Amino acid sequence: MFGINYWNELIPLLVVMNPFATEPSSPTETVRTTDSFDGWDAFDPDHVPESGPFLEGHAVLTGDEHAAFHRLTRALFEERGVYDATFGYNLARLNLDRRHPESGFRYAVDADDPSVLRAEFTPTTEFCPAADALIKGAFRAWNGLADHHEYDIVRVRVHPSHQQADALDASLERLERSLRETGSVPNSLSE
């Protein structure tokens, strides 16, 4: 029952049974097409979340600008392992997942300081239990690999639709403050 033949026969079933493992998140994986995801070069305003209050009054990225930064985000999240465990993919893919058109990241260049990018994350549910880990992982990836992009800092916030948005945003403000004071990304999740 637990021999090599048994497990080898089950492996294809396990892959097929996971509806979220239909397309690779890494550029090095083999691509299988699906109608559930937009392409990495696409910007479809109907398949990304609306800009929230953190981006209001700032230059929100759209079209090629959004797609270009989002492709970079994909690479940075891959390098730092920012994965959504619920869906089993690189968190950047959430923007492309047509099943969740109101979830993912939106970006804006800060109106007062063009060396600052603002990123607002809208989770798939208002009670997303992984939001804290996801936003801190995103913050650390963007700011820990800042030499990969043109911004001095990427400020991150959670859309206010999340039930703990205020507390999550306060933790992100502490991370930002620590980054600005020390010049390095804090290592502790509690910072």
Side-chain angles (χ1 to χ4, degrees):
M1 178 171 161
F2 293 99
I4 294 173
N5 289 338
Y6 176 81
W7 289 111
N8 285 342
E9 290 175 17
L10 270 183
I11 289 173
L13 294 175
L14 295 174
V15 173
V16 172
M17 289 173 50
N18 181 351
F20 303 108
T22 57
E23 196 172 319
S25 59
S26 166
T28 59
E29 293 180 49
T30 304
V31 175
R32 287 184 286 164
T33 59
T34 179
D35 289 335
S36 297
F37 295 91
D38 291 326
W40 287 100
D41 292 331
F43 176 80
D44 184 340
D46 294 331
H47 295 170
V48 293
E50 291 289 324
S51 300
F54 185 60
L55 305 183
E56 215 170 275
H58 301 279
V60 176
L61 301 184
T62 60
D64 291 341
E65 288 179 325
H66 173 93
F69 190 80
H70 203 67
R71 283 190 305 274
L72 173 68
T73 294
R74 172 192 188 190
L76 299 181
F77 285 9
E78 193 66 32
E79 186 169 335
R80 288 294 172 103
V82 183
Y83 271 70
D84 186 320
T86 302
F87 300 125
Y89 56 58
N90 179 317
L91 181 58
R93 281 194 78 210
L94 182 56
N95 274 55
L96 310 176
D97 192 334
R98 292 182 188 160
R99 297 165 294 187
H100 304 286
E102 294 153 4
S103 302
F105 287 98
R106 288 303 302 270
Y107 314 104
V109 176
D110 192 278
D112 298 323
D113 184 354
S115 72
V116 173
L117 186 74
R118 292 169 168 250
E120 187 175 62
F121 177 64
T122 305
T124 56
T125 65
E126 62 200 26
F127 53 85
C128 174
D132 184 52
L134 295 173
I135 58 173
K136 287 179 180 175
F139 178 89
R140 286 188 172 88
W142 283 317
N143 292 296
L145 298 169
D147 59 331
H148 290 62
H149 56 76
E150 62 190 279
Y151 302 101
D152 292 342
I153 187 170
V154 177
R155 299 181 64 206
V156 183
R157 295 294 183 274
V158 177
H159 191 276
S161 62
H162 191 279
Q163 66 175 352
Q164 295 178 326
D166 291 340
L168 294 172
D169 286 349
S171 71
L172 288 163
E173 288 172 16
R174 286 190 298 275
L175 285 173
E176 277 179 32
R177 197 168 31 256
S178 179
L179 174 62
R180 289 181 192 273
E181 290 170 1
T182 67
S184 63
V185 176
N187 289 325
S188 171
L189 282 177
S190 63
E191 293 184 68

